[in-house]
């Protein structure tokens, strides 16, 4: 969990900015958003298939683009 120590001469805005930066580095917000709703295994697999297809098509596009330059 992120936590900061506030110094005597530090304003609230500075302390809040430090806390937000630390929370972003620790991925607290993104993880909580991911866990907000239950996602069944079928949905996870579906998303993995879609991302794998996108990755493959991107590689194919880059390969064809590279070959056309030769």
């Amino acid at each position: 969990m992120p936590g900061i120590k506030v110094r005597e001469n530090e304003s609230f805005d500075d302390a809040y900015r430090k806390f937000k930066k630390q929370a972003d580095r620790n991925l607290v917000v993104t993880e909580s958003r991911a866990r907000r709703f239950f996602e069944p295994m079928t949905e996870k697999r579906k998303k993995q298939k879609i991302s794998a297809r996108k990755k493959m098509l991107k590689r194919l596009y880059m390969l064809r683009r590279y070959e056309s330059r030769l």
Side-chain angles (χ1 to χ4, degrees):
M1 268 318 272
I4 60 166
K5 293 183 180 178
V6 181
R7 298 186 187 128
E8 292 178 18
N9 58 355
E10 194 172 27
S11 70
F12 174 76
D13 293 331
D14 293 335
Y16 182 63
R17 195 174 302 121
K18 279 185 183 179
F19 178 77
K20 278 178 49 178
K21 193 178 285 186
Q22 204 173 55
D24 287 343
R25 274 193 239 127
N26 291 337
L27 301 174
V28 173
V29 176
T30 53
E31 187 175 340
S32 67
R33 284 183 185 156
R35 292 175 183 233
R36 183 179 283 171
F37 301 107
F38 176 73
E39 191 174 66
M41 201 59 193
T42 55
E43 291 292 323
K44 288 181 184 178
R45 273 188 253 134
K46 188 185 290 186
K47 285 183 181 180
Q48 286 176 347
K49 280 184 180 181
I50 291 171
S51 67
R53 181 179 162 85
K54 281 184 182 179
K55 190 183 251 185
M56 183 193 62
L57 288 175
K58 184 177 180 181
R59 284 185 182 170
L60 186 62
Y61 169 76
M62 295 302 283
L63 181 65
R64 286 183 178 167
R65 188 173 167 203
Y66 173 75
E67 286 177 348
S68 68
R69 290 183 179 184
L70 297 178

